[in-house]
Amino acid sequence: MRNWVIAAAAIASTLPAVAQAGEARRAAFGALADGRAVEAVTLSNGHGVRATVISYGAILQSLIVPDRAGKAEEVTLGYADMAGYLKAPNYFGATVGRYANRIKGGSFQIDGTAYTLAKNNGPNALHGGPQGFDKRLWTITSVNDGPTASVVLSYTSADGEEGYPGALTVTATYSLNEKDELSVEYKATTTKATIVNITNHSFFNLGGEASQRGIYGHVLTIPAEATTPVDRTLIPTGELRPVAGTPFDFRKPMVVGARIRDGRDPQIVFGQGYDENFVIARDVSAQPRPHARVEDPVTGRVMEILSNQPGVQLYTGNFLDGTAIGRSGLAYRQGDGIALEPQLFPDTPNQPAFGSARLNPGQTYRNIIVYRFSTAPASN
């Protein structure tokens, strides 16, 4: 892990200084069924990286990144217009909350008061409910050019919305700098004690979204000694299971598809592939730390993910079934994208040993995620 930080610092020190190269451009993107307008903001830097964020769901709608030969291509799954996001959202690029991931039985307690949520994932609640943050229209409050181009979006979730207590005021700040780092910072404050766990649910394919090559050939590293294994409904059992000797050991670089069909491991069977939380730490840190590194050997694209959160959910698009048609006109199938979602552990509100997801009035929730892009040379 330390070598990643040293190498990244060395690379950053060799980058040429580009003053005021970052641009942010605002445009229309479409409309909702009730006529409300959806806007898009595109951030770009001097190295050919471009990120587009839309106000619906605070979604990362597009991310274009050059490969080792300088060819810029789309590296996220998603749609070219609003019709796709309304018809088959699949959480592509979405901001998910108020509580990302699963809550057992769609219920939790705060100070002895029980709260009931919609069960939108079998017997459990998932990603904030049927009308979570990913399906809300956010407000663009700030758009900035400069060495770091940025856009700030905000949303206020009413007290009782989707069953959660407290009016929650949330901001999502997307920033793109000249080190080829795309960051998203989520902040939230509340009027009542509540639970909060917000993350980004982008699906990446570093080989190119239109390449028709899935992510099973990507090489993945996750510096985690354990995972939080789940039951058949994908709720954590409470155990911290060491990754050693399992298909979930990514402490050293491993091809994603090498062990993804190992049916001897019940976790692979339950998730129909990888769909599990990795234990990066047991606390929320002040600054981002390494969560994962992904490399596509064919194009040379490398993505490192850093965050201040204690866990990262690995999901390999196991339930994509070909019915969603993406921006390139291709049917998205199982394994066409990889999601790595920094967050608190799943079902933390019902599992005190995992820590706390509680946010009180006067406190500020914060999740900072950094996607750092670079390229690796071709292997001989």
Side-chain angles (χ1 to χ4, degrees):
M1 185 188 318
R2 184 171 180 270
N3 290 339
W4 294 8
V5 177
I6 293 173
I11 292 170
S13 68
T14 64
L15 289 173
V18 182
Q20 302 295 323
E23 293 184 345
R25 294 292 176 263
R26 192 167 179 169
F29 190 76
L32 302 182
D34 60 9
R36 287 179 294 165
V38 177
E39 293 186 281
V41 175
T42 298
L43 311 176
S44 59
N45 71 7
H47 303 144
V49 179
R50 298 197 307 277
T52 299
V53 179
I54 61 174
S55 55
Y56 179 74
I59 286 171
L60 177 61
Q61 182 265 336
S62 172
L63 181 58
I64 295 173
V65 179
D67 65 7
R68 69 163 67 94
K71 182 181 179 181
E73 292 180 293
E74 177 63 57
V75 297
T76 63
L77 306 191
Y79 303 107
D81 54 34
M82 273 306 302
Y85 291 103
L86 295 175
K87 180 181 179 181
N90 286 292
Y91 301 107
F92 292 146
T95 292
V96 290
R98 180 175 306 194
Y99 197 92
N101 219 310
R102 294 171 177 87
I103 295 179
K104 183 178 181 179
S107 65
F108 64 94
Q109 291 190 6
I110 296 179
D111 297 334
T113 299
Y115 295 93
T116 301
L117 312 173
K119 297 177 182 179
N120 61 327
N121 187 248
N124 307 310
L126 176 68
H127 292 332
Q131 296 296 316
F133 292 174
D134 59 299
K135 296 179 181 67
R136 302 289 179 171
L137 186 62
W138 294 53
T139 300
I140 296 174
T141 60
S142 177
V143 178
N144 301 288
D145 293 324
T148 300
S150 65
V151 56
V152 182
L153 305 96
S154 67
Y155 176 69
T156 298
S157 174
D159 184 9
E161 182 177 280
E162 289 294 323
Y164 293 92
L168 194 77
T169 299
V170 188
T171 60
T173 302
Y174 286 86
S175 305
L176 177 64
N177 65 23
E178 293 302 321
K179 296 179 182 179
D180 297 340
E181 294 172 335
L182 175 67
S183 301
V184 55
E185 181 176 25
Y186 296 113
K187 289 184 176 181
T189 58
T190 184
T191 61
K192 295 180 182 178
T194 191
I195 59 172
V196 183
N197 184 31
I198 306 170
T199 194
N200 186 276
H201 203 297
S202 290
F203 287 83
F204 297 94
N205 184 338
L206 299 184
E209 181 263 354
S211 68
Q212 299 194 53
R213 288 190 298 110
I215 50 85
Y216 293 157
H218 286 24
V219 178
L220 175 64
T221 310
I222 300 177
E225 299 288 334
T227 66
T228 54
V230 296
D231 62 20
R232 290 184 180 276
T233 70
L234 304 183
I235 291 293
T237 63
E239 176 191 2
L240 300 184
R241 185 177 78 148
V243 298
T246 77
F248 293 80
D249 191 350
F250 289 96
R251 292 173 295 175
K252 295 181 179 180
M254 175 62 63
V255 175
V256 171
R259 302 169 299 189
I260 200 168
R261 303 196 189 282
D262 187 351
R264 295 170 296 179
D265 191 308
Q267 296 302 297
I268 294 290
V269 176
F270 294 162
Q272 299 183 32
Y274 291 114
D275 191 3
E276 193 150 339
N277 171 66
F278 285 71
V279 180
I280 300 298
R282 296 305 306 276
D283 63 344
V284 175
S285 62
Q287 299 298 325
R289 55 198 164 197
H291 272 51
R293 181 185 187 275
V294 189
E295 178 181 343
D296 174 43
V298 177
T299 64
R301 290 189 185 92
V302 174
M303 179 178 68
E304 295 170 71
I305 300 180
L306 303 90
S307 175
N308 66 333
Q309 297 298 293
V312 61
Q313 184 83 12
L314 167 64
Y315 176 54
T316 46
N318 312 323
F319 299 103
L320 297 178
D321 59 5
T323 57
I325 310 302
R327 64 171 63 82
S328 299
L330 301 176
Y332 291 145
R333 308 154 304 170
Q334 184 181 59
D336 276 349
I338 184 171
L340 289 152
E341 310 156 54
Q343 58 188 272
L344 300 177
F345 298 171
D347 199 37
T348 288
N350 294 313
Q351 307 211 26
F354 283 177
S356 175
R358 179 170 176 150
L359 182 70
N360 294 316
Q363 297 177 326
T364 299
Y365 166 88
R366 179 175 179 260
N367 182 0
I368 174 70
I369 305 170
V370 180
Y371 304 101
R372 177 183 294 158
F373 293 93
S374 60
T375 57
S379 58
N380 296 326

